[in-house]
C-alpha cells in the first residue's frame, strides 16, 4: 500500500486524474488538509442553485472533481482518496466499496475516541449541496452529516474519495447556495479532532481493511505538469 499526502484541490485532483489515466499496480491512499475556501463541483454538475458572484466575492476557488454527485463547500477539511486496482480483491461494486470505505473510516474515528455512524438513510434531494442529502456515502456525528463521498472508476482503477469537514460555515453556505441557515445547521456539522492523529490512524485502519502487509514510506503527491495544466482549464476550474 502506498501513502501520499496532498496539498490542495489543484494538486490533488491533478494527481487523481493522472492515476486514473495511467493506472496503478497496488492500493494507494491520498490524504490532504484543505485550509482555504474551495467549492468542489461534481463532474457533471453545473452552477444551478449556486451564486458564482457570491463565491468570487468571498474568495472561494472553484474546482470540478472527476467523480459524480453534488457540490462540497470546504473552509477547512480533510480529504481522503482510496485508489484500488481493478484486479484487486477489494475492487467491489459501488455500494460495497462505499461500505468498506466508510467502515474503515468509522474504525479510525473509534480508535481516536470519536463515535460516528454510517447513515442508514437512502435520501436524495434536488439541492446542489452534497451535505444536504444522506445516502450510502455518508458519515454522521450527532445525527448530522460531516463526511460525504463520491466514486469514479474505469477498467483499470477504482477511486472512492470524500471530504471530512473540520469546519462548517453555515453563513457562507447560505450565501452561496441560497439555503436557509437554520436548515443547514439542522443537517450539516463539522467534527473536532486532532487531524494528525486521525490521519495516522486512518492509514492504519486502511492497512488492516485492505490486508496490506507493507506500507511504503509516505510521499508528497507530485502530479506531472501536463495534468496540472489540464486542471487549470475551465473544464476543471470553471
Amino acid at each position: 500500500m502506498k501513502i501520499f499526502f496532498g496539498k490542495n484541490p489543484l494538486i490533488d485532483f491533478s494527481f487523481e486524474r493522472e492515476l486514473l489515466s495511467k493506472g496503478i499496480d497496488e492500493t494507494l491512499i491520498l490524504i490532504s488538509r484543505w485550509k482555504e475556501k474551495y467549492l468542489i463541483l461534481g463532474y457533471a454538475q453545473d452552477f444551478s442553485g449556486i451564486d458564482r458572484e457570491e463565491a468570487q466575492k468571498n474568495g472561494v476557488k472553484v474546482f470540478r472533481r472527476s467523480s459524480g454527485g453534488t457540490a462540497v463547500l470546504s473552509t477547512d477539511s480533510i480529504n481522503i482518496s482510496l485508489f484500488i486496482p481493478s484486479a484487486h480483491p477489494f475492487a467491489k461494486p459501488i455500494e460495497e466499496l462505499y461500505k468498506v470505505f466508510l467502515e474503515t473510516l468509522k474504525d479510525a474515528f473509534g480508535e481516536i475516541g470519536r463515535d460516528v455512524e454510517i447513515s442508514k438513510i437512502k435520501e436524495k434531494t434536488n439541492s446542489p449541496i452534497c451535505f444536504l442529502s444522506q445516502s450510502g456515502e455518508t458519515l454522521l456525528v450527532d445525527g448530522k452529516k460531516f463526511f460525504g463521498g463520491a466514486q469514479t472508476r474505469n477498467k483499470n482503477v477504482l477511486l472512492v474519495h470524500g471530504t471530512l469537514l473540520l469546519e462548517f460555515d453555515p453563513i457562507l453556505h447560505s450565501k452561496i447556495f441560497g439555503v436557509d441557515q437554520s436548515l443547514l445547521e439542522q443537517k450539516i456539522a463539522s467534527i473536532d479532532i486532532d487531524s494528525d492523529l486521525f490521519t495516522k490512524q486512518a492509514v492504519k485502519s486502511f492497512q488492516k481493511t485492505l490486508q496490506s502487509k507493507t506500507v511504503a514510506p509516505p510521499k508528497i503527491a507530485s502530479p506531472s505538469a501536463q495534468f496540472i495544466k489540464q486542471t487549470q482549464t475551465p473544464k476543471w476550474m470553471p
Side-chain angles (χ1 to χ4, degrees), residues 17 43 63-65 230-238:
R17 288 188 296 103
Y43 179 76
F63 288 85
R64 188 182 302 282
R65 62 180 182 266
Q230 286 180 7
T231 302
Q232 293 170 319
T233 62
K235 178 177 180 178
W236 301 105
M237 293 184 67

Side-chain angles (χ1 to χ4, degrees), residues 24-177:
I24 54 175
D25 56 8
E26 60 182 297
T27 55
L28 185 151
I29 297 171
L30 170 67
I31 303 180
S32 300
R33 175 89 178 265
W34 296 350
K35 295 184 179 181
E36 296 183 49
K37 298 175 184 176
Y38 299 113
L39 176 65
I40 310 301
L41 303 178
Y43 179 76
Q45 186 177 14
D46 60 24
F47 281 93
S48 298
I50 299 172
D51 191 329
R52 297 184 70 173
E53 291 186 3
E54 196 66 47
Q56 291 174 348
K57 185 169 38 175
N58 285 275
V60 178
K61 299 177 183 177
V62 182
F63 288 85
R64 188 182 302 282
R65 62 180 182 266
S66 298
S67 58
T70 48
V72 173
L73 178 59
S74 168
T75 53
D76 188 4
S77 63
I78 294 175
N79 296 270
I80 303 170
S81 301
L82 171 64
F83 300 83
I84 300 177
S86 59
H88 193 280
F90 282 89
K92 300 179 181 296
I94 292 173
E95 290 191 7
E96 290 184 50
L97 184 56
Y98 274 136
K99 183 179 180 181
V100 169
F101 190 56
L102 295 181
E103 287 180 345
T104 302
L105 293 177
K106 185 176 186 295
D107 176 74
F109 281 110
E111 290 294 330
I112 65 169
R114 294 306 308 263
D115 184 26
V116 305
E117 61 179 314
I118 300 172
S119 175
K120 296 181 176 65
I121 298 174
K122 298 295 183 182
E123 173 187 56
K124 290 293 183 182
T125 70
N126 292 324
S127 172
I129 310 174
C130 166
F131 280 73
L132 275 186
S133 68
Q134 294 182 23
S135 55
E137 42 62 67
T138 299
L139 284 176
L140 307 174
V141 60
D142 299 326
K144 300 179 182 181
K145 185 171 181 175
F146 77 98
F147 179 91
Q151 292 190 47
T152 189
R153 54 184 66 202
N154 58 37
K155 64 180 182 179
N156 297 315
V157 184
L158 282 64
L159 165 62
V160 55
H161 57 183
T163 297
L164 181 167
L165 298 183
L166 296 175
E167 178 180 89
F168 168 52
D169 187 338
I171 296 175
L172 185 60
H173 273 71
S174 182
K175 288 180 178 179
I176 291 176
F177 295 109

Side-chain angles (χ1 to χ4, degrees), residues 138-225:
T138 299
L139 284 176
L140 307 174
V141 60
D142 299 326
K144 300 179 182 181
K145 185 171 181 175
F146 77 98
F147 179 91
Q151 292 190 47
T152 189
R153 54 184 66 202
N154 58 37
K155 64 180 182 179
N156 297 315
V157 184
L158 282 64
L159 165 62
V160 55
H161 57 183
T163 297
L164 181 167
L165 298 183
L166 296 175
E167 178 180 89
F168 168 52
D169 187 338
I171 296 175
L172 185 60
H173 273 71
S174 182
K175 288 180 178 179
I176 291 176
F177 295 109
V179 176
D180 188 77
Q181 185 176 330
S182 62
L183 174 61
L184 294 164
E185 291 173 338
Q186 290 172 23
K187 303 278 286 185
I188 307 173
S190 58
I191 190 166
D192 183 17
I193 54 172
D194 182 321
S195 60
D196 291 335
L197 180 62
F198 172 76
T199 296
K200 291 176 183 177
Q201 184 56 55
V203 170
K204 292 179 182 178
S205 293
F206 276 112
Q207 183 180 7
K208 180 176 69 175
T209 294
L210 298 169
Q211 300 174 6
S212 178
K213 295 180 180 179
T214 60
V215 178
K219 296 182 180 180
I220 302 299
S222 300
S224 67

